[in-house]
């Protein structure tokens, strides 16, 4: 079976890579446009987004693309997810309801639009209970997946689903479901050759998630208790306002869900996905709907509390290294007591990073972005210190005072996966100096200084 290619072109920036599935624009979905149902859809999507905080197998989540949302995994797999809320007074889902109102026909059409690629999985998530009578919805759910619980009578079930899809096609414009002559009785619907076999392949990549799925009344509390708060503990984050963070995340997902005006029927892009590579507008639409782990972390809201330089109950540690920093500060004529203080702050940064970083791959990019900002500030401080000091005179002490004034978390646009204070930032600056990324004086050779 063919797979959607997820190879990154060597000429492309890996950070800007877009899974080929999302180079294809989906068709229209005339779902119920109510704020309540959209909020429920966003909260189910929030479950996948929160999972990115503690799992490293998810690459990103794309909202309202082909289905209610899609999950792209780092191994190249993609899961299209349809969300259906069922009010408690509604009857149990039966097979026909699942096919039509439950969105299975829509999922099937999306799967076929993706070429039935071998790396595309499907999921229907619903809080509604399934009819457990013989040959009904609960039996269908147990026939789904690569390792189904029930393997008997699959042909009969696939035939039933095929006829429901063909009947739905009479009224719904699903281009990837064949059009057949209308009949009075379901049993009289003529099934095209090979269509039942296609339905069986569809069931093999489908998962119907209905057990213990919370309703709209309880999903907020469920996501807070079972997902966000455990993630905060696992990441050892402090002073997080979890409820405000959750609200902000759901609002961010709802923003990604919003349409951008007339979407139109874009089947031409499904038929010729290579055209999308040259369509900047399409790529921008996808980018607005995409959330990464760092996007989720950017939604964290912290209580306005003083951040301790060293965590309470933990003994300060002395960071390894430091010789380069001391020599550079002394070469810049920074006073001895400020040199000693710089060493303490460097250790404070070392402890904070070791204790609070998330351990996810996103740490490296978070730190790289913060390093760039701190270095930019250090270079600006050095340039200003030089301009304020007589030519030929040491300017290191002035540069150090400017760093103290300008290195504050509020002045940085980059963020880290934990809250820091200005002393941590200066500690990072001193670590970068120890790494020989900049000097407090004209550049000199450290080994020559040792010899002297």
């Amino acid at each position: 079976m063919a797979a959607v290619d997820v190879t990154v072109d060597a000429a492309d920036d890996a950070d800007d890579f877009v899974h080929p599935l999302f180079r294809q624009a989906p068709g229209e979905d005339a779902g119920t446009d109510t704020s309540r149902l959209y909020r429920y859809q966003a909260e189910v999507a929030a479950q996948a987004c929160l999972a990115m905080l503690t799992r490293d197998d998810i690459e990103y989540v794309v909202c309202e693309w082909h289905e209610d949302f899609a999950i792209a995994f780092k191994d190249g797999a993609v899961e299209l997810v349809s969300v259906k809320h069922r009010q408690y007074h509604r009857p149990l889902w039966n097979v026909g309801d699942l096919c039509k109102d439950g969105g299975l026909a829509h999922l099937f059409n999306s799967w076929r639009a993706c070429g039935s690629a071998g790396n595309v999985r499907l999921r229907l998530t619903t809080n509604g209970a399934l009819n457990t009578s013989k040959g009904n919805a609960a039996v269908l759910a147990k026939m789904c997946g690569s390792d189904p619980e029930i393997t008997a009578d699959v042909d009969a079930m696939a035939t039933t689903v095929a006829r429901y899809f063909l009947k739905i096609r009479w009224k719904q414009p699903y281009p990837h479901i064949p059009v057949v002559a209308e009949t009075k009785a379901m049993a009289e619907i003529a099934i095209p050759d090979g269509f039942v076999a296609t339905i069986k392949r569809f069931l093999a990549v489908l998962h119907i998630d209905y057990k213990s799925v919370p309703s709209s009344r309880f999903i907020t509390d469920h996501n807070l208790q079972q997902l966000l708060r455990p993630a905060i503990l696992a990441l050892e984050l402090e002073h997080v306002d979890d409820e405000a963070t959750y609200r902000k995340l759901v609002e961010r997902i709802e923003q990604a869900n919003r349409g951008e005006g007339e979407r139109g029927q874009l089947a031409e892009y499904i038929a010729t996905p290579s055209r999308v590579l040259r369509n900047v507008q399409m790529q921008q639409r996808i980018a607005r709907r995409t959330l990464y782990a760092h996007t989720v972390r950017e939604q964290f809201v912290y209580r306005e509390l003083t951040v301790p330089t060293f965590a309470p109950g933990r003994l300060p540690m002395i960071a390894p290294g430091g010789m380069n920093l001391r020599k550079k500060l002394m070469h810049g004529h920074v006073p001895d007591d400020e040199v000693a203080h710089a060493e303490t702050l460097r250790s404070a940064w070392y402890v904070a990073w070791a204790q609070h970083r998330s351990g996810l791959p996103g740490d490296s990019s978070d730190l790289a972005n913060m390093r760039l900002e701190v270095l930019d500030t250090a270079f600006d401080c050095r340039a200003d210190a030089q301009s304020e000091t007589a030519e030929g005179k040491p300017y290191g002490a002035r540069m150090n005072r400017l760093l103290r004034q300008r290195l504050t978390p509020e002045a940085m646009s980059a963020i880290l996966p934990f809250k820091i204070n200005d002393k941590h930032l200066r500690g990072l600056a001193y670590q970068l100096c120890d790494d020989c990324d900049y000097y407090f004086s004209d550049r000199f050779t450290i080994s020559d200084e040792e010899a002297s």
Side-chain angles (χ1 to χ4, degrees):
M1 186 180 297
V4 174
D5 183 18
V6 294
T7 304
V8 182
D9 191 316
D12 293 336
D13 187 341
D15 289 339
D16 297 328
F17 172 61
V18 176
H19 193 292
L21 175 65
F22 307 115
R23 297 173 184 158
Q24 303 174 148
E28 291 292 347
D29 181 8
T32 305
D33 189 8
T34 66
S35 59
R36 176 182 54 81
L37 294 182
Y38 271 116
R39 173 53 65 102
Y40 184 73
Q41 174 186 318
E43 294 201 70
V44 175
Q47 295 175 347
C49 293
L50 290 171
M52 289 192 288
L53 295 174
T54 54
R55 290 170 49 183
D56 60 5
D57 59 327
I58 300 176
E59 186 75 32
Y60 50 83
V61 174
V62 180
C63 300
E64 285 281 354
W65 202 256
H66 289 283
E67 292 297 332
D68 292 324
F69 62 95
I71 306 172
F73 295 86
K74 292 181 180 177
D75 65 359
V78 176
E79 185 176 50
L80 306 182
V81 184
S82 177
V83 180
K84 297 297 179 184
H85 187 267
R86 192 80 159 172
Q87 295 289 5
Y88 70 92
H89 61 272
R90 294 289 301 275
L92 303 177
W93 287 112
N94 59 38
V95 173
D97 289 339
L98 283 181
C99 290
K100 184 180 179 182
D101 300 331
L104 289 188
H106 194 286
L107 271 171
F108 176 83
N109 189 71
S110 297
W111 175 64
R112 293 292 288 162
C114 299
S116 307
N119 57 337
V120 176
R121 302 193 297 263
L122 310 167
R123 173 158 54 100
L124 168 62
T125 294
T126 178
N127 66 300
L130 306 188
N131 192 313
T132 58
S133 63
K134 184 178 179 180
N136 219 309
V139 176
L140 171 61
K142 293 180 180 179
M143 290 181 174
C144 295
S146 59
D147 187 22
E149 294 182 47
I150 296 178
T151 56
D153 300 322
V154 174
D155 286 343
M157 179 64 77
T159 300
T160 298
V161 172
R163 286 201 167 101
Y164 274 119
F165 284 2
L166 295 171
K167 182 179 179 180
I168 292 167
R169 181 66 176 89
W170 296 342
K171 303 295 183 183
Q172 297 291 332
Y174 291 138
H176 297 280
I177 297 178
V179 178
V180 299
E182 295 189 27
T183 63
K184 292 183 178 180
M186 279 276 294
E188 296 174 358
I189 296 176
I191 303 176
D193 291 342
F195 192 55
V196 171
T198 302
I199 296 296
K200 290 171 68 175
R201 289 197 289 120
F202 164 71
L203 297 181
V205 297
L206 171 67
H207 172 63
I208 300 177
D209 182 19
Y210 67 98
K211 297 180 179 179
S212 302
V213 176
S215 68
S216 59
R217 291 177 57 195
F218 303 110
I219 191 169
T220 298
D221 186 63
H222 174 274
N223 289 354
L224 279 168
Q225 298 285 355
Q226 303 299 321
L227 297 170
L228 179 55
R229 286 169 185 162
I232 292 171
L233 290 175
L235 299 176
E236 296 186 347
L237 300 179
E238 298 177 350
H239 315 308
V240 175
D241 187 329
D242 50 10
E243 294 187 3
T245 296
Y246 182 75
R247 287 194 300 271
K248 190 176 177 184
L249 173 60
V250 173
E251 288 168 2
R252 177 66 179 83
I253 295 170
E254 289 180 320
Q255 177 187 348
N257 280 342
R258 295 189 187 107
E260 307 92 2
E262 178 61 37
R263 294 174 66 187
Q265 180 55 262
L266 299 173
E268 57 185 302
Y269 290 113
I270 296 175
T272 315
S274 60
R275 294 182 58 182
V276 183
L277 296 175
R278 300 188 296 274
N279 192 307
V280 176
Q281 183 179 10
M282 178 75 69
Q283 293 177 347
Q284 290 174 341
R285 283 180 57 192
I286 297 169
R288 286 193 291 270
R289 295 176 180 271
T290 304
L291 291 90
Y292 296 85
H294 68 78
T295 314
V296 178
R297 291 198 296 270
E298 287 169 0
Q299 312 313 311
F300 272 60
V301 177
Y302 293 89
R303 298 183 183 91
E304 292 299 325
L305 298 173
T306 302
V307 180
T309 304
F310 290 102
R314 304 232 184 173
L315 292 175
M317 298 172 57
I318 298 176
M323 290 295 295
N324 293 340
L325 173 64
R326 287 192 292 273
K327 290 172 182 175
K328 289 179 179 181
L329 291 171
M330 292 171 65
H331 204 84
H333 289 252
V334 175
D336 291 346
D337 52 356
E338 292 186 30
V339 172
H341 187 55
E343 271 295 305
T344 301
L345 296 186
R346 191 176 70 89
S347 293
W349 160 254
Y350 176 82
V351 171
W353 179 253
Q355 290 178 349
H356 297 300
R357 60 180 179 167
S358 70
L360 297 174
D363 283 344
S364 57
S365 60
D366 290 336
L367 181 57
N369 288 329
M370 186 62 79
R371 283 170 60 101
L372 286 175
E373 290 212 44
V374 170
L375 276 176
D376 268 353
T377 303
F379 293 150
D380 288 343
C381 290
R382 184 174 64 189
D384 290 344
Q386 284 179 301
S387 66
E388 296 169 11
T389 305
E391 186 175 355
K393 296 294 183 180
Y395 53 81
R398 175 57 181 161
M399 177 180 171
N400 199 39
R401 286 194 293 274
L402 290 176
L403 283 174
R404 183 187 184 95
Q405 295 171 12
R406 299 178 184 177
L407 278 178
T408 64
E410 297 76 21
M412 304 290 109
S413 60
I415 63 169
L416 292 170
F418 57 93
K419 199 167 181 63
I420 58 174
N421 62 26
D422 55 349
K423 296 181 179 64
H424 292 128
L425 270 181
R426 282 155 55 205
L428 172 57
Y430 293 134
Q431 180 59 57
L432 296 178
C433 180
D434 194 58
D435 294 338
C436 291
D437 288 334
Y438 70 95
Y439 289 70
F440 281 81
S441 64
D442 293 338
R443 190 180 184 90
F444 64 96
T445 303
I446 299 293
S447 58
D448 291 346
E449 186 74 8
E450 290 175 349
S452 64

